[in-house]
Amino acid sequence: MNEINLNNELKAKKLFLVGFMATGKTTIGKRISSKLDMPFFDSDKELELFFNSSINDFFKVHGEKKFREIEEKIILDKIKN
């Protein structure tokens, strides 16, 4: 399957990259979205914008459990919309 066919197949679909911190999800995600002409979405950036806080500061104040809860809600919202 070539890139054009793959792009057409993915038009109505979404691709999510999940994994450990600092493994390149954002870098690879931006490349894939550019290559396939799909929107790019970064749940960390959405959380930072919504709470007006860096991820590190959010962790310090609210902890990892709360971060994961919010992260899950953000991703589920993107799956549904």
Side-chain angles (χ1 to χ4, degrees):
M1 176 177 292
N2 64 34
E3 286 181 29
I4 294 170
N5 290 339
L6 180 59
N7 188 27
N8 289 336
E9 290 289 320
L10 291 174
K11 284 281 186 204
K13 297 180 181 173
K14 299 172 183 175
L15 175 67
F16 293 86
L17 302 178
V18 295
F20 293 108
M21 294 184 297
T23 57
K25 295 180 301 293
T26 298
T27 301
I28 298 302
K30 286 179 179 179
R31 288 181 186 171
I32 290 171
S33 71
S34 174
K35 202 85 153 138
L36 298 177
D37 192 29
M38 296 175 71
F40 175 76
F41 169 79
D42 185 329
S43 61
D44 285 353
K45 292 295 176 205
E46 291 295 315
L47 189 143
E48 288 176 332
L49 290 171
F50 186 81
F51 288 98
N52 195 29
S53 172
S54 71
I55 296 300
N56 286 337
D57 288 344
F58 188 90
F59 260 76
K60 288 176 191 173
V61 173
H62 302 284
E64 182 177 0
K65 184 178 182 208
K66 186 66 173 177
F67 171 81
R68 297 296 172 206
E69 289 171 5
I70 301 294
E71 177 185 51
E72 180 180 10
K73 287 178 184 179
I74 290 170
I75 293 170
L76 287 173
D77 184 56
K78 285 296 178 184
I79 290 170
K80 294 173 186 175
N81 297 317

Coordinates of all heavy atoms in Angstrom, one line a residue:
M1 N 0.9 -1.2 0.0 CA 0.0 0.0 0.0 C 0.9 1.2 0.0 O 1.8 1.3 0.8 CB -0.9 0.0 1.2 CG -1.8 1.2 1.4 SD -2.9 1.2 2.8 CE -4.0 -0.1 2.3
N2 N 0.6 2.2 -0.9 CA 1.4 3.4 -1.0 C 0.9 4.4 0.0 O -0.2 4.3 0.6 CB 1.6 3.9 -2.4 CG 0.2 4.4 -3.0 OD1 -0.6 4.9 -2.3 ND2 0.1 4.2 -4.3
E3 N 1.6 5.6 0.1 CA 1.2 6.6 1.1 C -0.2 7.2 0.7 O -0.9 7.5 1.6 CB 2.3 7.7 1.1 CG 3.5 7.3 1.9 CD 4.5 8.4 1.9 OE1 4.2 9.6 1.9 OE2 5.7 8.0 2.0
I4 N -0.5 7.4 -0.5 CA -1.7 8.0 -0.9 C -2.9 7.1 -0.5 O -3.9 7.5 0.1 CB -1.8 8.3 -2.4 CG1 -0.7 9.4 -2.8 CG2 -3.2 8.7 -2.9 CD1 -0.5 9.6 -4.2
N5 N -2.8 5.8 -0.8 CA -3.8 4.9 -0.4 C -3.9 4.8 1.1 O -5.1 4.8 1.6 CB -3.5 3.5 -0.9 CG -3.7 3.4 -2.4 OD1 -4.4 4.2 -3.0 ND2 -3.1 2.4 -3.1
L6 N -2.8 4.8 1.8 CA -2.9 4.8 3.3 C -3.5 6.0 3.8 O -4.4 6.0 4.7 CB -1.4 4.6 3.9 CG -1.3 4.6 5.4 CD1 -2.1 3.4 5.9 CD2 0.1 4.5 5.8
N7 N -3.2 7.2 3.2 CA -3.8 8.4 3.7 C -5.3 8.4 3.5 O -6.1 8.8 4.4 CB -3.2 9.6 2.9 CG -3.7 10.9 3.4 OD1 -4.0 11.1 4.6 ND2 -3.7 11.9 2.6
N8 N -5.8 7.9 2.4 CA -7.2 7.8 2.1 C -7.9 6.8 3.1 O -9.0 7.1 3.6 CB -7.5 7.3 0.7 CG -7.2 8.4 -0.4 OD1 -7.2 9.5 -0.1 ND2 -6.8 7.9 -1.6
E9 N -7.2 5.7 3.4 CA -7.8 4.8 4.4 C -7.9 5.4 5.8 O -8.8 5.1 6.6 CB -6.9 3.5 4.5 CG -7.0 2.6 3.3 CD -8.3 1.9 3.2 OE1 -8.8 1.5 4.2 OE2 -8.8 1.8 2.1
L10 N -7.0 6.3 6.1 CA -6.9 6.9 7.5 C -7.7 8.2 7.6 O -7.9 8.7 8.7 CB -5.5 7.2 7.9 CG -4.6 6.0 8.1 CD1 -3.1 6.4 8.3 CD2 -5.1 5.2 9.3
K11 N -8.3 8.7 6.6 CA -9.0 10.0 6.6 C -10.0 10.0 7.8 O -10.1 11.0 8.5 CB -9.8 10.2 5.3 CG -8.9 10.7 4.2 CD -8.5 12.2 4.4 CE -7.7 12.6 3.1 NZ -6.9 13.7 3.4
A12 N -10.8 9.0 7.9 CA -11.9 8.9 8.9 C -11.4 8.2 10.2 O -12.2 7.9 11.1 CB -13.1 8.3 8.4
K13 N -10.1 7.9 10.3 CA -9.6 7.1 11.4 C -8.6 8.0 12.2 O -8.2 9.0 11.8 CB -8.9 5.9 11.0 CG -9.9 4.9 10.3 CD -9.3 3.7 9.8 CE -10.4 2.9 9.1 NZ -9.9 1.7 8.5
K14 N -8.3 7.5 13.4 CA -7.4 8.2 14.3 C -6.3 7.3 14.7 O -6.5 6.1 14.8 CB -8.1 8.7 15.5 CG -9.2 9.7 15.2 CD -10.0 10.1 16.4 CE -11.1 11.0 15.9 NZ -12.0 11.3 17.0
L15 N -5.1 7.8 14.8 CA -3.9 7.0 15.2 C -3.4 7.6 16.5 O -3.2 8.8 16.7 CB -2.8 7.2 14.1 CG -1.5 6.5 14.4 CD1 -1.6 5.0 14.4 CD2 -0.5 7.0 13.3
F16 N -3.2 6.7 17.5 CA -2.7 7.1 18.8 C -1.4 6.5 19.1 O -1.2 5.3 18.9 CB -3.7 6.8 19.9 CG -5.0 7.5 19.8 CD1 -6.0 7.1 19.0 CD2 -5.2 8.7 20.6 CE1 -7.2 7.7 18.9 CE2 -6.4 9.4 20.5 CZ -7.4 8.9 19.7
L17 N -0.5 7.3 19.6 CA 0.8 6.7 20.0 C 0.9 6.8 21.5 O 0.7 7.9 22.1 CB 2.0 7.5 19.4 CG 2.1 7.6 17.9 CD1 3.3 8.5 17.5 CD2 2.2 6.2 17.3
V18 N 1.1 5.7 22.2 CA 1.2 5.7 23.6 C 2.5 5.0 24.0 O 3.0 4.1 23.3 CB 0.0 4.9 24.3 CG1 -1.3 5.7 24.1 CG2 -0.1 3.5 23.8
G19 N 3.0 5.3 25.1 CA 4.3 4.7 25.6 C 4.9 5.5 26.7 O 4.4 6.5 27.2
F20 N 6.1 5.0 27.1 CA 6.8 5.7 28.2 C 7.3 7.1 27.8 O 7.3 7.4 26.6 CB 8.1 4.8 28.5 CG 7.8 3.5 29.1 CD1 8.0 2.3 28.3 CD2 7.3 3.4 30.4 CE1 7.7 1.1 28.9 CE2 7.0 2.2 30.9 CZ 7.2 1.0 30.2
M21 N 7.5 7.9 28.8 CA 8.0 9.3 28.6 C 9.3 9.3 27.9 O 10.1 8.3 28.0 CB 8.2 10.0 30.0 CG 6.9 10.2 30.7 SD 7.1 11.1 32.3 CE 8.2 10.0 33.2
A22 N 9.5 10.3 27.1 CA 10.8 10.5 26.4 C 11.2 9.4 25.4 O 12.4 9.2 25.3 CB 11.9 10.8 27.4
T23 N 10.2 8.8 24.8 CA 10.5 7.7 23.8 C 10.3 8.2 22.4 O 10.5 7.4 21.5 CB 9.7 6.5 24.1 OG1 8.3 6.8 24.0 CG2 10.0 5.8 25.4
G24 N 9.9 9.5 22.2 CA 9.8 10.0 20.8 C 8.4 10.0 20.3 O 8.2 10.2 19.1
K25 N 7.4 9.9 21.1 CA 6.0 9.9 20.6 C 5.6 11.2 19.9 O 5.1 11.1 18.8 CB 5.0 9.6 21.8 CG 5.1 8.3 22.4 CD 4.1 8.1 23.5 CE 4.3 9.1 24.6 NZ 5.5 9.0 25.5
T26 N 6.0 12.3 20.5 CA 5.7 13.6 19.9 C 6.4 13.8 18.6 O 5.9 14.2 17.5 CB 6.0 14.7 20.8 OG1 5.2 14.6 22.0 CG2 5.8 16.1 20.2
T27 N 7.7 13.4 18.5 CA 8.5 13.6 17.3 C 8.0 12.7 16.2 O 7.7 13.2 15.1 CB 10.0 13.2 17.6 OG1 10.5 14.1 18.6 CG2 10.8 13.3 16.3
I28 N 7.7 11.5 16.5 CA 7.2 10.5 15.5 C 5.8 10.9 15.1 O 5.4 10.9 13.9 CB 7.2 9.1 16.0 CG1 8.7 8.6 16.3 CG2 6.5 8.1 15.1 CD1 9.6 8.7 15.1
G29 N 5.0 11.3 16.1 CA 3.6 11.7 15.8 C 3.5 12.9 14.9 O 2.7 12.9 13.9
K30 N 4.4 13.9 15.1 CA 4.4 15.0 14.2 C 4.8 14.6 12.7 O 4.2 15.1 11.8 CB 5.3 16.1 14.7 CG 4.8 16.8 15.9 CD 5.8 17.9 16.4 CE 5.2 18.6 17.6 NZ 6.2 19.6 18.1
R31 N 5.7 13.7 12.7 CA 6.2 13.3 11.3 C 5.1 12.5 10.6 O 4.8 12.7 9.4 CB 7.4 12.4 11.5 CG 8.7 13.2 11.8 CD 9.9 12.3 11.9 NE 11.0 13.1 12.3 CZ 12.2 12.5 12.7 NH1 12.4 11.2 12.6 NH2 13.2 13.3 13.1
I32 N 4.4 11.6 11.4 CA 3.4 10.8 10.8 C 2.2 11.7 10.3 O 1.7 11.6 9.2 CB 2.9 9.7 11.8 CG1 3.9 8.6 12.0 CG2 1.6 9.1 11.3 CD1 3.6 7.7 13.1
S33 N 1.8 12.6 11.2 CA 0.7 13.5 10.9 C 1.0 14.4 9.7 O 0.1 14.6 8.8 CB 0.3 14.4 12.1 OG 1.3 15.4 12.3
S34 N 2.2 14.8 9.5 CA 2.6 15.6 8.4 C 2.6 14.8 7.1 O 2.1 15.2 6.1 CB 4.0 16.2 8.6 OG 4.5 16.8 7.5
K35 N 3.2 13.6 7.2 CA 3.3 12.7 6.1 C 1.9 12.2 5.6 O 1.7 12.1 4.4 CB 4.1 11.4 6.5 CG 4.7 10.7 5.4 CD 6.1 11.3 5.1 CE 7.0 10.3 4.5 NZ 7.7 10.8 3.4
L36 N 1.0 12.0 6.5 CA -0.3 11.5 6.1 C -1.4 12.6 6.1 O -2.6 12.4 5.9 CB -0.8 10.4 7.1 CG 0.1 9.2 7.2 CD1 -0.4 8.2 8.3 CD2 0.1 8.5 5.8
D37 N -1.0 13.9 6.3 CA -1.9 15.0 6.3 C -3.0 14.8 7.2 O -4.2 15.0 6.9 CB -2.4 15.3 4.8 CG -3.1 16.6 4.7 OD1 -2.7 17.6 5.5 OD2 -3.9 16.7 3.8
M38 N -2.7 14.5 8.4 CA -3.6 14.3 9.5 C -3.3 15.3 10.6 O -2.2 15.6 10.8 CB -3.5 12.8 10.1 CG -3.9 11.7 9.1 SD -3.6 10.1 9.9 CE -4.9 10.0 11.0
P39 N -4.4 15.7 11.4 CA -4.1 16.6 12.5 C -3.2 15.9 13.6 O -3.3 14.7 13.8 CB -5.4 16.9 13.0 CG -6.4 16.0 12.5 CD -5.8 15.3 11.3
F40 N -2.4 16.7 14.2 CA -1.6 16.2 15.3 C -2.1 16.7 16.6 O -2.5 17.8 16.8 CB -0.1 16.6 15.2 CG 0.8 16.2 16.3 CD1 1.2 14.9 16.4 CD2 1.1 17.2 17.3 CE1 2.0 14.5 17.5 CE2 1.9 16.8 18.4 CZ 2.3 15.5 18.5
F41 N -2.2 15.8 17.6 CA -2.7 16.1 18.9 C -1.8 15.6 20.0 O -1.4 14.4 19.9 CB -4.1 15.5 19.0 CG -4.7 15.6 20.4 CD1 -5.2 16.7 20.9 CD2 -4.6 14.4 21.2 CE1 -5.7 16.8 22.2 CE2 -5.2 14.5 22.5 CZ -5.7 15.6 23.0
D42 N -1.4 16.4 21.0 CA -0.5 16.0 22.0 C -1.3 16.1 23.4 O -1.5 17.3 23.8 CB 0.7 16.8 22.0 CG 1.8 16.4 23.0 OD1 1.4 15.9 24.1 OD2 3.0 16.6 22.7
S43 N -1.6 15.1 24.0 CA -2.4 15.1 25.3 C -1.6 15.9 26.4 O -2.3 16.6 27.1 CB -2.8 13.7 25.8 OG -1.6 13.0 26.0
D44 N -0.3 15.8 26.4 CA 0.5 16.6 27.4 C 0.3 18.1 27.1 O 0.1 18.8 28.1 CB 2.0 16.3 27.3 CG 2.3 14.9 27.9 OD1 1.4 14.3 28.5 OD2 3.5 14.5 27.8
K45 N 0.3 18.5 25.9 CA 0.2 19.9 25.6 C -1.2 20.4 25.9 O -1.4 21.5 26.4 CB 0.5 20.2 24.1 CG 1.9 20.1 23.7 CD 2.8 21.1 24.4 CE 4.2 20.9 24.1 NZ 5.1 21.4 25.2
E46 N -2.2 19.6 25.7 CA -3.6 19.9 26.0 C -3.8 20.1 27.5 O -4.4 21.0 28.0 CB -4.6 18.9 25.5 CG -4.7 18.8 24.0 CD -5.3 20.1 23.4 OE1 -6.3 20.6 24.0 OE2 -4.8 20.6 22.4
L47 N -3.2 19.2 28.3 CA -3.2 19.3 29.7 C -2.5 20.6 30.2 O -3.0 21.3 31.1 CB -2.6 18.0 30.3 CG -2.8 17.9 31.9 CD1 -3.0 16.4 32.2 CD2 -1.6 18.5 32.6
E48 N -1.4 20.8 29.6 CA -0.6 22.0 30.0 C -1.4 23.3 29.7 O -1.5 24.2 30.6 CB 0.7 22.1 29.3 CG 1.7 21.1 29.8 CD 3.0 21.1 29.0 OE1 3.0 21.4 27.8 OE2 4.0 20.7 29.6
L49 N -2.1 23.4 28.6 CA -2.9 24.5 28.3 C -4.1 24.7 29.2 O -4.4 25.8 29.6 CB -3.3 24.4 26.8 CG -2.2 24.6 25.7 CD1 -2.8 24.3 24.3 CD2 -1.7 26.1 25.8
F50 N -4.8 23.6 29.4 CA -6.0 23.6 30.2 C -5.7 24.0 31.6 O -6.4 24.8 32.2 CB -6.7 22.2 30.2 CG -8.0 22.3 30.9 CD1 -9.2 22.7 30.2 CD2 -8.2 21.8 32.2 CE1 -10.4 22.8 30.8 CE2 -9.4 21.8 32.8 CZ -10.5 22.3 32.1
F51 N -4.7 23.5 32.2 CA -4.3 23.8 33.6 C -3.3 24.9 33.8 O -3.0 25.2 34.9 CB -3.8 22.5 34.3 CG -4.9 21.5 34.6 CD1 -5.1 20.4 33.7 CD2 -5.8 21.6 35.6 CE1 -6.1 19.5 33.9 CE2 -6.8 20.7 35.9 CZ -6.9 19.6 35.0
N52 N -2.9 25.4 32.7 CA -1.9 26.5 32.7 C -0.7 26.1 33.6 O -0.3 26.8 34.5 CB -2.5 27.8 33.2 CG -1.6 29.0 32.9 OD1 -0.8 29.0 31.9 ND2 -1.6 30.0 33.7
S53 N -0.2 24.9 33.3 CA 0.9 24.3 34.2 C 1.7 23.4 33.3 O 1.2 22.7 32.4 CB 0.2 23.5 35.3 OG 1.2 22.8 36.0
S54 N 3.0 23.3 33.6 CA 3.8 22.3 32.9 C 3.5 20.9 33.5 O 2.9 20.8 34.6 CB 5.3 22.6 33.2 OG 5.7 22.3 34.5
I55 N 3.9 19.9 32.7 CA 3.6 18.6 33.2 C 4.4 18.3 34.5 O 3.8 17.7 35.5 CB 4.0 17.5 32.1 CG1 3.2 17.7 30.9 CG2 4.0 16.1 32.7 CD1 1.7 17.5 31.1
N56 N 5.6 18.8 34.6 CA 6.4 18.6 35.8 C 5.7 19.2 37.0 O 5.6 18.6 38.1 CB 7.8 19.1 35.6 CG 8.7 18.2 34.8 OD1 8.4 17.0 34.6 ND2 9.7 18.8 34.2
D57 N 5.2 20.5 36.8 CA 4.6 21.1 37.9 C 3.3 20.4 38.3 O 2.9 20.3 39.5 CB 4.3 22.6 37.6 CG 5.6 23.4 37.6 OD1 6.6 22.9 38.2 OD2 5.6 24.5 37.1
F58 N 2.5 20.0 37.3 CA 1.3 19.3 37.5 C 1.5 18.0 38.4 O 0.8 17.7 39.3 CB 0.6 18.9 36.2 CG -0.8 18.3 36.4 CD1 -1.9 19.2 36.4 CD2 -1.0 17.0 36.6 CE1 -3.2 18.7 36.6 CE2 -2.3 16.5 36.8 CZ -3.3 17.3 36.8
F59 N 2.6 17.3 38.0 CA 3.0 16.1 38.8 C 3.3 16.4 40.2 O 2.9 15.7 41.2 CB 4.2 15.4 38.2 CG 3.9 14.2 37.3 CD1 3.4 14.4 36.0 CD2 4.1 12.9 37.7 CE1 3.1 13.3 35.2 CE2 3.9 11.8 36.9 CZ 3.3 12.0 35.7
K60 N 4.0 17.5 40.4 CA 4.4 17.9 41.8 C 3.2 18.3 42.7 O 3.2 17.9 43.8 CB 5.4 19.1 41.7 CG 6.8 18.8 41.2 CD 7.6 20.1 41.1 CE 8.9 19.8 40.4 NZ 9.6 21.0 40.1
V61 N 2.3 18.9 42.1 CA 1.1 19.4 42.8 C 0.0 18.3 43.0 O -0.5 18.1 44.0 CB 0.5 20.7 42.2 CG1 -0.8 21.0 42.8 CG2 1.5 21.8 42.2
H62 N -0.3 17.6 41.9 CA -1.4 16.7 41.8 C -1.0 15.2 41.9 O -1.8 14.3 42.1 CB -2.3 16.9 40.6 CG -2.8 18.3 40.5 ND1 -3.8 18.8 41.3 CD2 -2.4 19.4 39.8 CE1 -4.0 20.1 41.1 NE2 -3.2 20.4 40.1
G63 N 0.2 14.9 41.5 CA 0.7 13.5 41.5 C 0.4 12.8 40.2 O -0.4 13.2 39.3
E64 N 1.0 11.6 40.0 CA 0.9 10.8 38.8 C -0.5 10.3 38.6 O -1.1 10.3 37.5 CB 1.9 9.7 38.8 CG 1.8 8.9 37.5 CD 2.8 7.8 37.3 OE1 3.6 7.6 38.2 OE2 2.8 7.1 36.3
K65 N -1.2 9.9 39.7 CA -2.5 9.3 39.6 C -3.5 10.3 39.0 O -4.2 9.9 38.0 CB -3.0 8.8 41.0 CG -4.4 8.1 40.9 CD -4.8 7.7 42.2 CE -6.2 6.9 42.0 NZ -7.0 7.0 43.2
K66 N -3.5 11.5 39.5 CA -4.4 12.5 38.9 C -4.0 12.8 37.4 O -4.9 13.0 36.6 CB -4.3 13.8 39.7 CG -5.3 14.8 39.3 CD -6.7 14.3 39.6 CE -7.8 15.4 39.3 NZ -9.1 15.0 39.5
F67 N -2.7 12.9 37.2 CA -2.3 13.1 35.8 C -2.8 12.0 34.9 O -3.3 12.3 33.8 CB -0.7 13.1 35.7 CG -0.2 13.1 34.3 CD1 -0.2 14.3 33.6 CD2 0.2 12.0 33.7 CE1 0.3 14.3 32.3 CE2 0.7 12.0 32.4 CZ 0.7 13.2 31.7
R68 N -2.7 10.8 35.3 CA -3.2 9.7 34.4 C -4.7 9.7 34.2 O -5.2 9.4 33.2 CB -2.8 8.3 35.0 CG -1.3 8.1 35.1 CD -0.6 8.0 33.8 NE 0.8 8.0 33.9 CZ 1.7 8.4 33.0 NH1 1.2 8.9 31.9 NH2 3.0 8.4 33.2
E69 N -5.4 10.1 35.3 CA -6.9 10.3 35.1 C -7.2 11.3 34.1 O -8.1 11.1 33.3 CB -7.5 10.6 36.5 CG -7.5 9.5 37.5 CD -7.9 10.0 38.9 OE1 -8.3 11.2 39.1 OE2 -7.8 9.2 39.8
I70 N -6.6 12.5 34.2 CA -6.8 13.6 33.3 C -6.4 13.2 31.9 O -7.1 13.4 30.9 CB -6.1 14.9 33.7 CG1 -6.6 15.3 35.1 CG2 -6.3 16.0 32.7 CD1 -8.0 15.7 35.2
E71 N -5.2 12.6 31.8 CA -4.7 12.1 30.5 C -5.7 11.1 29.8 O -6.0 11.3 28.6 CB -3.4 11.4 30.7 CG -2.8 10.8 29.4 CD -1.5 10.1 29.7 OE1 -1.5 9.2 30.6 OE2 -0.5 10.3 29.1
E72 N -6.3 10.2 30.6 CA -7.2 9.3 30.0 C -8.5 10.0 29.5 O -9.0 9.7 28.4 CB -7.6 8.3 31.1 CG -8.6 7.2 30.6 CD -9.0 6.2 31.7 OE1 -8.6 6.4 32.8 OE2 -9.7 5.3 31.3
K73 N -9.0 11.0 30.3 CA -10.2 11.7 29.9 C -9.9 12.5 28.6 O -10.7 12.5 27.7 CB -10.6 12.7 31.0 CG -11.2 12.0 32.1 CD -11.6 13.0 33.2 CE -12.1 12.3 34.4 NZ -12.5 13.2 35.5
I74 N -8.7 13.1 28.5 CA -8.4 13.8 27.2 C -8.3 12.9 26.0 O -8.9 13.2 25.0 CB -7.0 14.5 27.4 CG1 -7.1 15.7 28.4 CG2 -6.5 15.0 26.1 CD1 -5.8 16.3 28.8
I75 N -7.7 11.7 26.2 CA -7.6 10.8 25.1 C -9.0 10.2 24.7 O -9.3 10.1 23.5 CB -6.6 9.7 25.4 CG1 -5.2 10.3 25.5 CG2 -6.6 8.6 24.4 CD1 -4.1 9.4 26.0
L76 N -9.8 9.8 25.7 CA -11.1 9.3 25.4 C -12.0 10.4 24.7 O -12.7 10.0 23.8 CB -11.8 8.9 26.7 CG -11.2 7.6 27.3 CD1 -11.9 7.3 28.7 CD2 -11.4 6.4 26.4
D77 N -11.8 11.6 25.1 CA -12.6 12.7 24.4 C -12.2 12.7 22.9 O -13.0 12.9 22.1 CB -12.3 14.0 25.1 CG -13.1 15.1 24.5 OD1 -14.4 15.0 24.4 OD2 -12.5 16.1 24.0
K78 N -10.9 12.6 22.6 CA -10.4 12.6 21.2 C -10.9 11.4 20.5 O -11.2 11.5 19.3 CB -8.9 12.7 21.2 CG -8.3 14.0 21.5 CD -8.8 15.0 20.4 CE -8.3 16.4 20.8 NZ -8.9 17.4 19.8
I79 N -11.0 10.3 21.2 CA -11.5 9.0 20.5 C -13.0 9.2 20.1 O -13.4 8.9 19.0 CB -11.4 7.8 21.4 CG1 -9.9 7.4 21.6 CG2 -12.2 6.6 20.9 CD1 -9.6 6.4 22.6
K80 N -13.7 9.9 21.0 CA -15.2 10.0 20.7 C -15.5 11.1 19.7 O -16.5 11.1 19.0 CB -15.9 10.4 22.0 CG -15.9 9.2 23.0 CD -16.4 9.6 24.4 CE -16.3 8.5 25.4 NZ -16.7 9.0 26.7
N81 N -14.6 12.1 19.6 CA -14.9 13.3 18.8 C -14.0 13.3 17.5 O -13.0 12.9 17.4 CB -14.7 14.6 19.5 CG -15.7 14.7 20.6 OD1 -16.9 14.4 20.5 ND2 -15.2 15.2 21.8

